[in-house]
Amino acid sequence: ESIDRHFFDLETIKNEARNFLTSILELQSIIEEPNSFENPLKGLQISSRKDVEKAAKSLRKKWRLGDAPIYDVVQLIESKKIPVIEVEIFSDFTGLSGMANDEIPFIVINANCNDVTRKRFTALHELAHVVLEFSDFLNDDFIESLCHHFAGAVLLVDDTLKHELGAGRTTISLKELRDIKEKYGVSIHAIIIRAKVTNFISSDTFNNWSKSYKEWNGNSNGSNGFGVYVSREKSTELMRLITKGINEKRITWSKAAKIKNTKVDILKQQLTELEFEMN
């Protein structure tokens, strides 16, 4: 197992990730559904922001996303056989990524992050560490910046941003930014940065927008003033595998509860609640 960055509570996070992955691999073996992750960007060398824009569009094309909003980022990533592990960390920890057994990528995010747009951005930032192959001469800070860029580019394609805002803009209202946030699941701050890195706006306009954002933030009565994006953004892969195993009679309820490290009646309740939420 390898993890590509270090955080203060790393051992706790690593243990939770290891236990989760062990359960995933056991279930995959039982129901004969092996992990089959294929990197859609394999062989694409990344050394610049231009490369990242190209990579983001290539990912969208290969995953058949078009330019449309991505409703649920976590669900999308899990559907591509990358386990997303949610850990209960009461701190400013956001996420990390790694590789188990040198072949199974995984992403860890903070379950206690209440900002859905931040969770989506973090998941895609960590996805960048999984799928992008960076040139050896890049330093860590620039790589982090490129991962941020990738997250923004996947969430909001440059052509889409231009379509939403129109050409030649020097000012923009909070309502316009809020509308984009609520449609594409991107924070207002990330939208402003996205407009700058795509050279859609000048540095002066960016600085003016950033100043306005701080003023809006200071005058806002809670985060709802910046709009709300509605999405689950919850890891469901383990429960999906358990449900499949039980339905196909590959595992018993007691075995499933043991894998989930819970009691049978609690597991049944959790599955019922999950089914209700999904519908």
Side-chain angles (χ1 to χ4, degrees):
E1 175 187 310
S2 65
I3 292 181
D4 59 13
R5 287 192 307 291
H6 300 280
F7 292 91
F8 35 81
D9 205 10
L10 185 59
E11 284 307 311
T12 298
I13 296 169
K14 284 177 66 175
N15 287 336
E16 288 198 37
R18 188 178 295 109
N19 292 337
F20 184 92
L21 287 169
T22 298
S23 298
I24 289 282
L25 294 174
E26 183 177 2
L27 282 166
Q28 287 177 340
S29 176
I30 290 172
I31 65 178
E32 297 179 346
E33 185 184 304
N35 186 289
S36 55
F37 170 73
E38 292 185 10
N39 187 350
L41 304 179
K42 185 176 182 180
L44 182 60
Q45 191 80 355
I46 302 297
S47 59
S48 67
R49 295 189 180 281
K50 185 176 180 181
D51 293 337
V52 171
E53 286 287 329
K54 179 180 178 181
K57 289 182 178 180
S58 179
L59 180 89
R60 273 185 163 268
K61 182 177 181 180
K62 291 187 177 182
W63 282 1
R64 299 180 180 179
L65 301 175
D67 291 344
I70 301 173
Y71 169 64
D72 193 313
V73 167
V74 171
Q75 185 180 65
L76 170 68
I77 292 173
E78 288 191 318
S79 74
K80 302 304 179 182
K81 302 300 182 182
I82 303 173
V84 178
I85 305 157
E86 293 190 85
V87 296
E88 298 277 349
I89 301 293
F90 292 94
S91 70
D92 58 358
F93 165 77
T94 53
L96 59 81
S97 55
M99 193 75 70
N101 302 331
D102 295 324
E103 59 180 356
I104 301 172
F106 64 88
I107 289 171
V108 183
I109 57 177
N110 193 342
N112 291 319
C113 178
N114 295 321
D115 186 338
V116 172
T117 58
R118 185 183 184 190
K119 185 179 284 190
R120 288 160 61 81
F121 193 92
T122 296
L124 287 172
H125 173 103
E126 297 305 332
L127 177 66
H129 283 285
V130 170
V131 299
L132 298 183
E133 299 176 8
F134 297 103
S135 298
D136 293 336
F137 63 83
L138 301 182
N139 63 46
D140 289 343
D141 287 342
F142 189 52
I143 288 175
E144 288 300 300
S145 177
L146 292 180
C147 288
H148 276 331
H149 191 133
F150 180 82
V154 172
L155 285 168
L156 194 56
V157 178
D158 53 3
D159 291 338
T160 298
L161 180 62
K162 292 177 182 178
H163 172 74
E164 291 290 340
L165 292 178
R169 298 297 298 272
T170 56
T171 61
I172 187 170
S173 68
L174 175 58
K175 182 184 183 305
E176 289 176 287
L177 291 170
R178 187 168 56 223
D179 288 345
I180 295 173
K181 172 183 177 177
E182 293 182 340
K183 184 175 181 181
Y184 293 94
V186 190
S187 72
I188 287 176
H189 190 232
I191 296 168
I192 294 173
I193 292 175
R194 181 81 185 119
K196 181 180 184 297
V197 298
T198 55
N199 296 316
F200 180 53
I201 58 173
S202 67
S203 294
D204 287 341
T205 301
F206 170 77
N207 291 334
N208 290 335
W209 279 10
S210 296
K211 182 179 178 181
S212 295
Y213 174 77
K214 291 178 181 178
E215 291 175 355
W216 292 330
N217 199 24
N219 296 327
S220 175
N221 295 320
S223 60
N224 287 358
F226 292 110
V228 177
Y229 181 78
V230 180
S231 178
R232 292 189 71 255
E233 301 300 346
K234 295 284 186 181
S235 173
T236 59
E237 181 64 8
L238 183 61
M239 297 296 266
R240 183 191 71 81
L241 290 170
I242 287 175
T243 301
K244 183 176 180 179
I246 290 172
N247 288 342
E248 295 188 356
K249 296 181 172 52
R250 296 292 188 96
I251 58 173
T252 63
W253 278 105
S254 59
K255 174 66 174 177
K258 183 178 180 181
I259 291 175
K260 188 67 169 59
N261 192 29
T262 189
K263 296 179 180 179
V264 171
D265 57 340
I266 295 177
L267 177 60
K268 288 182 177 181
Q269 181 181 352
Q270 289 174 340
L271 287 175
T272 301
E273 290 174 353
L274 179 60
E275 184 178 358
F276 178 78
E277 287 180 15
M278 297 296 284
N279 294 330

